[in-house]
Amino acid sequence: MIPALLLMLGIGAVCGIVLSLASKIFYVYEDPRIAQVENCLAGANCGGCGYAGCSAAAAAVVSGKAPANICIVSGKTGAEAVAKVMGVEVGNAEAPLSYNMCEGGFRAADKYHYMGISSCKAMAVVFGGKRVCGVGCIGLGDCVKACQFGAVSMGPKGHPVVDEEKCVGCGACQKACPKNIIEVKTLSERIMKFNQKYDPLAPCAQTCPAEINIPRYINQLREGKYKEAVQTIRLRNPLPLACGRVCPHPCETECRRGIEDEPVSINQLKRFVADYEMNSGSRIPIKCAPDTGKKIAVVGGGPSGLSCAFFLRRIGHQVDIFEAMPKLGGMLRYGIPEYRLPKKVLDWEIQGILDLGIKAFCHVKFGVDFGLGSLMAAGYNAVFLGVGAWEDFSLGIEGENLDGCYTGINFLQRISGGEKIKLGRTAAVVGGGNTAVDCARTLLRLGLDKVYMVYRRTRKEMPANEVEIVASEHEGIEFVFLAAPTRVVGDDKNKVTHLEYLKMQLGEPDKSGRRRPEPIPGSETLLAVDMVISAIGQSPDASFKNQDPQARMKELELTKWNTIDNNPATHQASIPYIFTAGDAATGPSLVVEAIGGGRRAARSIDLFLKGEAVEPVKDSLQKKRIHESIFTKVDGIKQTPRAKQPELHVNERLDSFIEVDLVLPEADAHKEAERCLNCCRICYNPDTVFPMAKKAG
Amino acid sequence: MGDLFVLVISCIFINNILLAQYLGNCPFLGTSKKMETAIGMAMAVIFVLVLAGALTWIINEYMLKPMDVVYLQTLSFILVIAALVQFVEMFLKKSIPALYGSLGIYLPLITTNCAVLGVCLINIKEEYTFVESLVTSFAYAAGFGLALILFAGVRERILLARVPKPLQDVSIGLITAGMIAMTFMSFKGMV
């Protein structure tokens, strides 16, 4: 008995001594928070969280791979305790969340019928699934079964719905889905997602240069979730108020309803939800990822610069904007007149972007007040050049420098800046683009008696937005088509008296498909005007390249159109840490194009800052249409008229700069949203077959 | 040599520690939900079991037998194995962090695992030599790993199958385990 006791005591003592020595010798520093977090967990080592045991889960929480609410056993109180240790709110901004990409569900037509198969995985193996659509949800709920947290359920429309409150981002559903319909991504990953060939995308979303998920926000509007709709737009476009007013909406041209009926007025719906936010009196909070500690300089506070800064900030980088003009906004402020985009609205929108923690320095010109060298010295890790295209092309005709001659952007910018310009009584605006129309309508509002628009082709070829042309016709602007200015005539005091032009006739179509105008010899005609504004196009002002003393600047290559040469897929310029987008990269283009470019550049900058190769998105769609989603005929459409754009009466608008286009009333917006077919790649909700589905959705 | 081969076959298939001896059922059910975890656990068991087999054999042969206190086997083995696992965990963490990264998290789960203790006691009961007990420890652990990985594969599929509500999760797991055990019975009489 005694020897046995002694033996056990001996073994125990040896074990104890060895272990205590080992703990001294083999001591490894470990984040003390791991032990603290582990104490908050249930300690059941059940593996329900997807990690092997509680200590593994605790290590994952501390390293940031797992959210605070990872433990399913300890529940809410446990999550709160963990969050307290980690010093974060439950539901950290960067927690990955599950998200369903498919809108199809039950409405998507079946291609095959299988007997007795109850799993998506099995169905995907046999002929690639049961749907006609190659990318859509099969709907048997492998993801629902795979979720151990009850966060995924099969929704009323036959595709999975994710309860974001319950989702811990473990990724089990994503692994279970054979079609990549349900995907687990962090906010940053979601912001930096670009349209790819295999995505379930509606025609409108394929076409949108900013790649907004249009059917999703229209659906949210229809459900009355205006805030969610704004958030959906803000994942892709930081300027919904401005875009909702000035975007020429290429998406509507591709609207599937437009094949049989008038297209859905998508842009008015965007404006409706954006205006709802502004008029509600409070801003919807915008989530940003935790700080990364990297600093980026954005040169140019126009749409591309604001978009790039906004998205870089949202994925956690620190951004400073440098702007040459007295205020931010670029062409939105100085190129678009007050009656189309009120400054008050623009200010409100830009303030929301700055509120994310972006600093703006105005009235500093790149190349003059600061340069590449000073930015590098100040510790910026990358530079975004969004300087826009502010240099007007000249007409190249005699008399262009006479008193009373102006150039388009320069004129608009001076008016917007509040400068008093000496005005005449009658004016001729040369050009057929949006800038020309803006100049003409602005002149009318400044009190001129007569404004002519002189364009060398016909109305059909005018590149300006159709609505703008119609509005200017209503306002009484006179169009002089098929006219090429040859000379500005002045009096002895060098003041403009006439514009001389040659009449033209249309010849053979050129490469762009527009019929080339040819002059009729001897048809010189005089137009009596005392102001001439030429608005025939712009190019970027690249004078900073020679003004900047930094030698490296010589390496920045320009194209023959004076735009900054860059890889169109990554927006990286010839100097690796310089990125560019917007008009400075593409030449004069749409606001929404600049916004899309800004986000694309933000993705490349993020890759560059992480030290990864700056490569284009694989299988990126880049506004190309997905062939199988192009229809020539759409069944089940009941003709319903499109919502009319409410506008100020002509009499009220001519002597003021009050905004002309008004926002849709709520009831009309809902009616218009009902017209949306909620398309996906190939399936949609027809008006006639599924009235219930439309109700539910 | 031929004897050792027969021993290995018998330990892995015929007397499989999980499916024939029904030892170590808690990690069998707990870590078999995912293939990845099951493989990690299997590796950790092999590692620990070989070490524990060797150590307990030495203790039995040179301490318990000479002092004539063989009845203390179970008690002392528990103590020694627990201390061993803790020691190995600390050692790996400091010296071989890579191995700790892949096995370490499973070690605490097997501190006083019945499969580990069971194999050590079987080794003594069957009066194996030192080499034989090393081989059987390894083979039993390999059998454990085989069963665990097979079971994890089946369970990953069950997750996607339509299982009646009352039988979901652990219930269907146990039923499946029983069926696999029955198939392993067919190895009986092979040696």
Side-chain angles (χ1 to χ4, degrees):
Chain A
M1 182 66 195
I2 302 291
L5 270 178
L6 284 179
L7 180 76
M8 283 311 294
L9 271 175
I11 296 179
V14 171
C15 289
I17 292 168
V18 168
L19 281 183
S20 57
L21 280 179
S23 69
K24 285 271 177 254
I25 299 168
F26 300 123
Y27 172 75
V28 180
Y29 174 77
E30 193 179 54
D31 197 326
R33 288 182 302 174
I34 295 183
Q36 288 174 15
V37 169
E38 199 179 340
N39 284 339
C40 306
L41 303 178
N45 281 329
C46 63
C49 53
Y51 290 91
C54 294
S55 53
V61 169
V62 172
S63 65
K65 284 185 199 132
N69 54 356
I70 176 100
C71 184
I72 48 167
V73 181
S74 64
K76 194 165 165 259
T77 43
E80 276 163 5
V82 174
K84 216 169 143 196
V85 173
M86 296 300 296
V88 291
E89 297 279 306
V90 183
N92 190 344
E94 269 302 82
L97 282 176
S98 235
Y99 188 75
N100 171 40
M101 306 245 294
C102 180
E103 300 277 334
F106 291 135
R107 74 179 185 197
D110 288 349
K111 192 173 184 181
Y112 304 106
H113 293 279
Y114 304 101
M115 298 295 285
I117 301 185
S118 64
S119 111
C120 305
K121 210 174 203 167
M123 239 180 222
V125 171
V126 192
F127 300 112
K130 73 167 178 175
R131 300 284 189 223
V132 173
C133 168
V135 300
C137 179
I138 296 173
L140 289 175
D142 279 13
C143 46
V144 178
K145 290 173 211 155
C147 183
Q148 307 193 355
F149 303 91
V152 189
S153 56
M154 200 43 81
K157 285 191 276 182
H159 53 67
V161 178
V162 180
D163 182 348
E164 298 204 349
E165 300 279 306
K166 288 186 188 161
C167 177
V168 301
C170 65
C173 50
Q174 184 176 1
K175 278 193 208 118
C177 179
K179 289 280 185 184
N180 295 327
I181 286 304
I182 197 150
E183 50 176 32
V184 178
K185 282 195 155 84
T186 62
L187 177 68
S188 298
E189 288 166 331
R190 207 160 282 161
I191 285 175
M192 287 305 158
K193 164 95 177 80
F194 287 88
N195 286 353
Q196 284 166 297
K197 272 187 208 162
Y198 311 107
D199 289 340
L201 295 166
C204 48
Q206 293 168 31
T207 323
C208 176
E211 305 193 348
I212 305 173
N213 191 338
I214 294 166
R216 189 175 286 264
Y217 81 72
I218 295 187
N219 199 23
Q220 284 162 331
L221 190 162
R222 187 157 48 201
E223 289 170 6
K225 298 178 185 161
Y226 302 149
K227 285 186 176 176
E228 283 83 350
V230 176
Q231 279 165 335
T232 302
I233 299 171
R234 284 235 172 85
L235 276 181
R236 296 286 176 269
N237 182 346
L239 301 163
L241 281 169
C243 260
R245 286 169 166 76
V246 303
C247 189
H249 41 70
C251 50
E252 292 180 19
T253 321
E254 297 297 331
C255 176
R256 197 168 275 161
R257 186 171 202 104
I259 296 168
E260 304 280 344
D261 190 6
E262 289 176 306
V264 175
S265 189
I266 298 169
N267 204 39
Q268 288 204 70
L269 295 178
K270 184 192 303 119
R271 175 170 171 184
F272 171 77
V273 288
D275 277 28
Y276 168 82
E277 187 203 0
M278 182 173 66
N279 297 333
S280 73
S282 66
R283 292 180 192 274
I284 298 166
I286 300 174
K287 278 192 187 169
C288 293
D291 277 332
T292 60
K294 304 276 187 196
K295 246 170 88 177
I296 300 112
V298 169
V299 179
S304 71
L306 286 171
S307 156
C308 187
F310 175 81
F311 290 115
L312 284 171
R313 181 70 205 103
R314 286 197 73 178
I315 58 174
H317 300 301
Q318 195 194 327
V319 191
D320 292 340
I321 303 179
F322 298 88
E323 167 63 49
M325 301 299 286
K327 277 181 157 183
L328 291 179
M331 280 296 176
L332 289 175
R333 181 181 301 276
Y334 297 104
I336 294 175
E338 173 79 18
Y339 62 86
R340 277 179 70 198
L341 174 59
K343 302 288 175 275
K344 214 178 74 197
V345 173
L346 185 64
D347 287 341
W348 192 87
E349 184 141 88
I350 291 175
Q351 193 52 48
I353 296 174
L354 296 180
D355 283 350
L356 297 181
I358 296 171
K359 261 188 273 169
F361 303 92
C362 290
H363 239 313
V364 283
K365 197 167 174 355
F366 188 52
V368 180
D369 302 306
F370 67 105
L372 204 53
S374 45
L375 288 180
M376 288 298 119
Y380 291 102
N381 304 93
V383 177
F384 174 80
L385 282 186
V387 295
W390 287 65
E391 196 125 286
D392 287 298
F393 287 136
S394 61
L395 283 169
I397 56 173
E398 190 191 320
E400 221 182 331
N401 300 321
L402 291 174
D403 192 6
C405 284
Y406 299 91
T407 55
I409 285 298
N410 181 278
F411 173 77
L412 289 175
Q413 168 199 336
R414 285 161 70 181
I415 295 288
S416 298
E419 200 179 318
K420 289 269 174 290
I421 290 182
K422 208 168 69 187
L423 299 166
R425 299 311 316 158
T426 53
V429 178
V430 183
N434 280 323
T435 311
V437 177
D438 286 343
C439 286
R441 293 180 70 187
T442 300
L443 283 168
L444 220 55
R445 283 166 174 72
L446 289 171
L448 265 69
D449 300 334
K450 186 83 202 160
V451 177
Y452 299 97
M453 282 197 66
V454 180
Y455 181 51
R456 61 196 182 114
R457 301 178 206 232
T458 63
R459 189 184 187 287
K460 217 174 76 200
E461 283 89 13
M462 275 179 79
N465 303 349
E466 177 64 21
V467 282
E468 295 294 311
I469 303 173
V470 172
S472 45
E473 282 170 343
H474 286 172
E475 288 169 10
I477 286 165
E478 192 168 318
F479 289 83
V480 183
F481 289 117
L482 291 166
T486 48
R487 189 158 63 98
V488 182
V489 186
D491 60 12
D492 45 2
K493 286 184 209 138
N494 270 343
K495 279 184 69 76
V496 174
T497 57
H498 291 87
L499 175 73
E500 185 191 82
Y501 63 89
L502 260 181
K503 286 189 180 159
M504 315 284 274
Q505 59 190 8
L506 286 181
E508 290 304 304
D510 66 2
K511 256 186 277 171
S512 67
R514 297 193 295 184
R515 290 174 71 193
R516 184 186 292 280
E518 288 157 1
I520 305 168
S523 65
E524 285 89 347
T525 317
L526 281 175
L527 191 65
V529 289
D530 46 17
M531 275 180 92
V532 174
I533 295 183
S534 65
I536 53 167
Q538 305 104 263
S539 70
D541 172 8
S543 56
F544 60 82
K545 198 188 160 190
N546 301 322
Q547 290 160 344
D548 197 325
Q550 176 80 354
R552 187 84 201 265
M553 206 60 187
K554 298 282 171 293
E555 287 171 36
L556 187 71
E557 282 176 29
L558 303 178
T559 64
K560 61 177 174 178
W561 299 281
N562 230 12
T563 56
I564 301 167
D565 199 16
N566 67 96
N567 177 338
T570 63
H571 293 270
Q572 194 171 26
S574 51
I575 301 177
Y577 55 82
I578 293 187
F579 299 81
T580 181
D583 288 359
T586 59
S589 186
L590 312 179
V591 170
V592 67
E593 193 82 53
I595 288 169
R599 189 169 69 95
R600 211 169 271 279
R603 172 187 169 270
S604 300
I605 293 173
D606 184 47
L607 289 179
F608 178 77
L609 294 180
K610 284 193 215 148
E612 290 170 27
V614 181
E615 273 167 6
V617 182
K618 215 171 145 255
D619 291 322
S620 170
L621 201 58
Q622 293 239 24
K623 286 189 288 169
K624 283 195 287 287
R625 292 293 311 276
I626 297 169
H627 185 73
E628 66 169 350
S629 69
I630 303 173
F631 290 5
T632 48
K633 195 166 140 286
V634 186
D635 292 329
I637 303 291
K638 257 198 283 184
Q639 303 270 335
T640 36
R642 170 185 161 106
K644 286 268 167 304
Q645 168 82 60
E647 53 181 31
L648 215 60
H649 192 265
V650 175
N651 298 343
E652 283 176 77
R653 66 199 200 199
L654 272 189
D655 39 3
S656 74
F657 277 91
I658 301 173
E659 185 170 18
V660 172
D661 293 339
L662 306 175
V663 66
L664 277 180
E666 189 163 358
D668 289 5
H670 274 271
K671 224 155 87 202
E672 188 61 23
E674 282 298 332
R675 295 180 70 235
C676 174
L677 303 173
N678 201 11
C679 302
C680 190
R681 199 172 163 108
I682 56 174
C683 63
Y684 57 93
N685 290 348
D687 295 329
T688 45
V689 186
F690 290 123
M692 283 313 288
K694 291 204 80 167
K695 278 270 153 51
Chain B
M1 200 62 210
D3 284 351
L4 284 184
F5 179 72
V6 171
L7 201 57
V8 168
I9 295 293
S10 113
C11 292
I12 294 181
F13 294 106
I14 303 156
N15 294 317
N16 187 293
I17 190 83
L18 283 173
L19 299 169
Q21 320 247 20
Y22 310 116
L23 289 171
N25 267 313
C26 35
F28 186 50
L29 290 170
T31 59
S32 59
K33 279 189 183 165
K34 271 165 74 185
M35 186 56 90
E36 203 184 313
T37 326
I39 292 173
M41 184 68 185
M43 294 302 154
V45 167
I46 292 177
F47 186 76
V48 168
L49 200 45
V50 172
L51 276 180
L55 190 67
T56 50
W57 191 88
I58 292 169
I59 288 194
N60 185 59
E61 200 65 22
Y62 296 107
M63 279 172 97
L64 302 182
K65 269 188 181 171
M67 292 179 78
D68 209 16
V69 281
V70 183
Y71 57 87
L72 284 180
Q73 266 174 4
T74 313
L75 206 54
S76 54
F77 286 1
I78 289 177
L79 195 58
V80 171
I81 293 171
L84 172 79
V85 173
Q86 289 294 315
F87 180 81
V88 167
E89 192 189 349
M90 283 190 257
F91 173 75
L92 285 183
K93 203 168 185 178
K94 178 79 177 182
S95 315
I96 322 174
L99 191 60
Y100 178 78
S102 53
L103 297 187
I105 45 175
Y106 304 102
L107 290 177
L109 301 182
I110 15 180
T111 309
T112 46
N113 188 298
C114 44
V116 178
L117 185 66
V119 170
C120 294
L121 290 173
I122 291 169
N123 283 345
I124 308 294
K125 203 179 98 195
E126 299 285 329
E127 296 182 343
Y128 290 137
T129 63
F130 183 69
V131 176
E132 278 171 344
S133 30
L134 275 188
V135 170
T136 45
S137 303
F138 176 81
Y140 271 126
F144 178 95
L146 175 77
L148 186 62
I149 289 168
L150 281 178
F151 190 50
V154 174
R155 278 190 96 178
E156 280 197 344
R157 301 225 160 199
I158 289 177
L159 207 57
L160 306 180
R162 197 154 40 179
V163 178
K165 258 247 155 69
L167 295 183
Q168 274 169 4
D169 210 29
V170 179
S171 318
I172 191 81
L174 284 169
I175 293 172
T176 321
M179 287 181 188
I180 301 177
M182 280 199 276
T183 58
F184 266 68
M185 278 182 185
S186 59
F187 290 117
K188 280 260 157 84
M190 206 166 84
V191 178

